[in-house]
Amino acid sequence: MKMKLTAEKIYEEFTKGKSYKSSIDLFETVRVNENFYIGKQWEGCNAPDLDKPVINVLRRVVSFFISMIVSNDVSASYRPFEETETNQLTAKVISDAVDKTIELSGFKSLLRDVLRNAAVDGDGYLHFYFDPAIETGQLVKGDIRAEIIENTNLIFGNPHSADIEKQPYMLVTLKVPTVLLKEEAERDGLSDDIISAIIPDRENEDTQNEPYASELTTVIHRYFRKNGTIWCVKSTPKVILKEEWDTTYKQYPIAGMRWEKVKHSCHGAAAVSAYIPNQIAINQLFGMAILSIKNNAFPKIMYDRNKIMHWSNKVGEAIAVNGSPAENAIAVPWRSADMSNQVLQLIDNLIQKTLEFMGASDVVLGNITPDNATAIIATQKASSMPLELQKLAFYELCESSVRILQDMMRAHYGVRTVTLDIEGGEEVLGDFDFSTIGDVNMSLKVDIGAASYYSELMQIQTLDNLLSKGIIQDAELYLEQIPDAYIPGKAKLIAALKDKQQMAMPQKIKTSSQLQAAVQLPQVM
């Protein structure tokens, strides 16, 4: 018989997960990587006389990686295996509902943060939850929201596997102000004993040295699979805030990606970790080069202190001497040897090699000027090849997120009024029971737009060429293929073309009948 979950048991799992992260130096790796990414690259260096320049190669590369992979165009389309009118309507409802949730939840902007975390920290995660207080504009309240979960705040039940769906449990942890947590507990009607047991983290031995530990309390959501569905329990280190309940989800409401896979570990390797020594060497060489130039580039004055007691470089200031000024009291300027050019060459080589081995050469970074369309395409392919594995991981993240959204809609939305945009801009209104979407087998296609600058422009140029050469002769077909952003109100234009075609069809039939009547066939005797 399975034992009942207690706050102590959950906190024990939490501390065990933190111990594993400490054993692989995750906390220190994340701290160092974050500092180097944001430009805090001289921390702990005790060199007061040395200038500390930052030539942030790592941030430039990571920003480029994110811009190449991320896309603002993420949408879902469903197609039922059984092509019935009801199933097709259901597919359209789900597609529109998922697209609206993606737009309202800020999902697209969160994807950039996930990619940034994956590149800098090793892996990035999204946690989806249902907020029942969100106004939806109709009688039923509540909608799905997403939030970023740092890899240091996500505990895997089996840390040797990165497959979320195969985990025995998942712990999502976050810090909440103790005062707000007590107020929430009062609103939920919890007993005074439970409310008094909600204490700040400073009273826990392993968190007393953390910043703001006297004001925050760790809240743990423990997700686990039971009887074919996902269950959850909400806890603090000392007390259960909400007993385990059946979410009715079919999969964990967590999606994530690793930048580079690490064998037998739930965490990945970051893009910047291996190149931090290169970044340190670049900064140090630049700092010492600046110091050398400051000390040696300008002439130094040498003088006889027996003849000149005081020397000042201030313009126009008199120089006091012993004896007659006519005597030999000459100060001789002296300049040391120049710094070796090998220093600057080494810095340039370090920068170029670091960019090259990180997968961001001059061609990739756009430091060349493409002269024609062929060069543009070649540049695009060259820039995307080093990131193919990361792109696949990103696409899997998007697809998993869409499946989670669909699963949560089935569990929470209930009966809602839906608005469908069909061709011609018309709208069909009606009530739809979202709990039935799990009964229809459908194939899911997640469309992720290319992040390339030239992709849509090349698409329009190709359509223009097909239209001018007569390969495309239907204006309606041409408009349907043009990206929506380039022709506002495209649906109305298509509807107007259809109406014009329908009005022209009877006229054609009438003209044909008149021609047939005008032809006098010879009578057969």
Side-chain angles (χ1 to χ4, degrees):
M1 183 176 178
K2 193 173 182 179
M3 296 180 60
K4 184 179 179 180
L5 287 172
T6 62
E8 291 75 14
K9 175 65 176 176
I10 296 174
Y11 191 68
E12 181 183 346
E13 295 173 343
F14 170 70
T15 54
K16 187 187 299 182
K18 288 183 63 177
S19 298
Y20 170 77
K21 295 179 188 296
S22 298
S23 68
I24 62 174
D25 292 329
L26 180 67
F27 296 107
E28 181 64 16
T29 298
V30 170
R31 186 190 68 82
V32 172
N33 289 6
E34 288 289 336
N35 283 343
F36 271 80
Y37 175 73
I38 65 177
K40 194 177 179 181
Q41 299 179 354
W42 287 89
E43 188 179 31
C45 178
N46 185 17
D49 297 331
L50 184 67
D51 288 305
K52 299 175 178 60
V54 175
I55 312 301
N56 204 337
V57 178
L58 300 180
R59 180 165 185 169
R60 183 188 182 193
V61 176
V62 170
S63 299
F64 165 76
F65 286 164
I66 295 173
S67 65
M68 285 299 300
I69 298 175
V70 77
S71 172
N72 285 328
D73 185 12
V74 180
S75 61
S77 58
Y78 292 82
R79 181 179 180 182
F81 289 107
E82 186 178 354
E83 296 284 351
T84 64
E85 184 177 353
T86 302
N87 289 347
Q88 289 178 352
L89 180 62
T90 301
K92 179 63 175 174
V93 169
I94 300 174
S95 297
D96 283 10
V98 169
D99 289 343
K100 290 177 181 177
T101 303
I102 288 175
E103 190 68 31
L104 295 176
S105 64
F107 175 73
K108 297 176 184 178
S109 62
L110 291 176
L111 288 178
R112 293 192 290 271
D113 294 332
V114 172
L115 271 173
R116 183 258 190 208
N117 287 352
V120 178
D121 303 336
D123 39 345
Y125 299 95
L126 280 174
H127 174 228
F128 296 87
Y129 64 96
F130 184 79
D131 187 350
I134 295 178
E135 293 289 345
T136 60
Q138 48 184 300
L139 295 178
V140 182
K141 289 185 178 182
D143 210 340
I144 301 170
R145 287 293 179 262
E147 61 182 352
I148 296 292
I149 295 296
E150 307 294 335
N151 57 359
T152 53
N153 294 333
L154 184 65
I155 307 295
F156 286 71
N158 178 14
H160 300 288
S161 172
D163 192 336
I164 294 178
E165 291 307 311
K166 292 183 179 180
Q167 295 296 319
Y169 62 85
M170 297 287 293
L171 302 183
V172 176
T173 68
L174 63 155
K175 301 285 188 179
V176 180
T178 307
V179 174
L180 297 182
L181 202 58
K182 287 178 175 289
E183 292 177 356
E184 180 182 350
E186 291 178 357
R187 290 194 301 269
D188 293 340
L190 300 182
S191 64
D192 293 338
D193 293 338
I194 294 178
I195 296 175
S196 61
I198 301 175
I199 58 177
D201 286 341
R202 64 176 171 78
E203 299 183 24
N204 298 320
E205 293 181 358
D206 60 339
T207 58
Q208 57 186 351
N209 294 325
E210 293 183 3
Y212 299 101
S214 61
E215 303 173 10
L216 303 177
T217 300
T218 299
V219 177
I220 305 172
H221 287 82
R222 185 187 194 272
Y223 292 99
F224 59 98
R225 196 176 298 276
K226 177 181 176 182
N227 300 327
T229 58
I230 302 299
W231 290 58
C232 183
V233 58
K234 183 179 178 181
S235 170
T236 70
K238 298 295 184 180
V239 65
I240 297 290
L241 296 178
K242 187 176 181 180
E243 296 290 344
E244 61 182 61
W245 76 93
D246 187 4
T247 64
T248 71
Y249 303 157
K250 301 297 183 182
Q251 60 189 98
Y252 287 109
I254 302 166
M257 65 170 287
R258 296 182 294 172
W259 190 262
E260 290 285 352
K261 293 183 179 180
V262 177
K263 286 187 176 181
H264 311 302
S265 176
C266 59
H267 296 293
V272 304
S273 295
Y275 301 96
I276 286 179
N278 298 35
Q279 182 69 71
I280 293 175
I282 292 169
N283 291 342
Q284 286 179 342
L285 285 171
F286 250 104
M288 289 185 287
I290 293 173
L291 181 62
S292 176
I293 292 174
K294 286 173 63 176
N295 289 338
N296 302 316
F298 304 97
K300 295 183 180 298
I301 302 299
M302 302 175 62
Y303 64 94
D304 186 354
R305 68 171 56 186
N306 294 323
K307 296 182 177 180
I308 303 177
M309 298 181 60
H310 172 72
W311 180 270
S312 173
N313 284 328
K314 292 183 179 180
V315 179
E317 184 173 339
I319 301 175
V321 297
N322 293 328
S324 173
E327 296 180 1
N328 186 18
I330 301 175
V332 181
W334 173 83
R335 186 173 181 270
S336 64
D338 292 335
M339 182 183 66
S340 173
N341 288 331
Q342 289 182 336
V343 177
L344 297 179
Q345 292 174 1
L346 179 58
I347 292 173
D348 289 338
N349 284 334
L350 269 173
I351 293 175
Q352 293 303 320
K353 291 297 182 183
T354 302
L355 293 174
E356 179 181 347
F357 285 102
M358 290 187 74
S361 61
D362 283 339
V363 174
V364 173
L365 289 174
N367 293 335
I368 64 170
T369 303
D371 298 325
N372 50 52
T374 303
I376 292 173
I377 296 173
T379 302
Q380 285 183 303
K381 289 184 178 180
S383 63
S384 62
M385 285 181 62
L387 300 173
E388 287 301 320
L389 294 178
Q390 284 73 28
K391 279 188 177 181
L392 292 176
F394 176 72
Y395 295 161
E396 291 176 1
L397 164 70
C398 293
E399 184 173 346
S400 298
S401 299
V402 170
R403 294 187 184 278
I404 291 172
L405 290 176
Q406 175 189 342
D407 191 26
M408 296 181 71
M409 287 177 183
R410 174 194 56 79
H412 294 291
Y413 271 21
V415 179
R416 297 197 176 198
T417 302
V418 296
T419 302
L420 298 182
D421 297 330
I422 62 175
E423 293 183 1
E426 299 180 6
E427 297 181 349
V428 177
L429 303 177
D431 292 334
F432 182 81
D433 187 3
F434 281 87
S435 64
T436 63
I437 63 179
D439 302 331
V440 182
N441 291 324
M442 297 187 184
S443 60
L444 169 63
K445 179 183 178 183
V446 179
D447 299 319
I448 303 174
S452 168
Y453 177 77
Y454 296 99
S455 58
E456 291 186 345
L457 296 179
M458 291 176 64
Q459 179 183 350
I460 294 175
Q461 184 179 2
T462 303
L463 288 171
D464 289 341
N465 291 335
L466 293 175
L467 185 66
S468 62
K469 292 179 180 179
I471 299 176
I472 295 180
Q473 299 180 352
D474 188 354
E476 180 183 341
L477 177 61
Y478 172 80
L479 286 174
E480 287 176 349
Q481 300 303 317
I482 293 291
D484 295 339
Y486 289 87
I487 303 182
K490 186 175 71 172
K492 294 183 179 180
L493 290 176
I494 295 175
L497 285 174
K498 287 184 175 181
D499 292 341
K500 186 176 180 180
Q501 290 175 356
Q502 291 176 356
M503 292 176 63
M505 286 177 61
Q507 183 67 28
K508 291 180 180 179
I509 296 175
K510 181 179 180 181
T511 303
S512 177
S513 302
Q514 292 174 349
L515 289 174
Q516 290 179 1
V519 176
Q520 298 295 329
L521 296 178
Q523 295 183 358
V524 180
M525 301 299 298

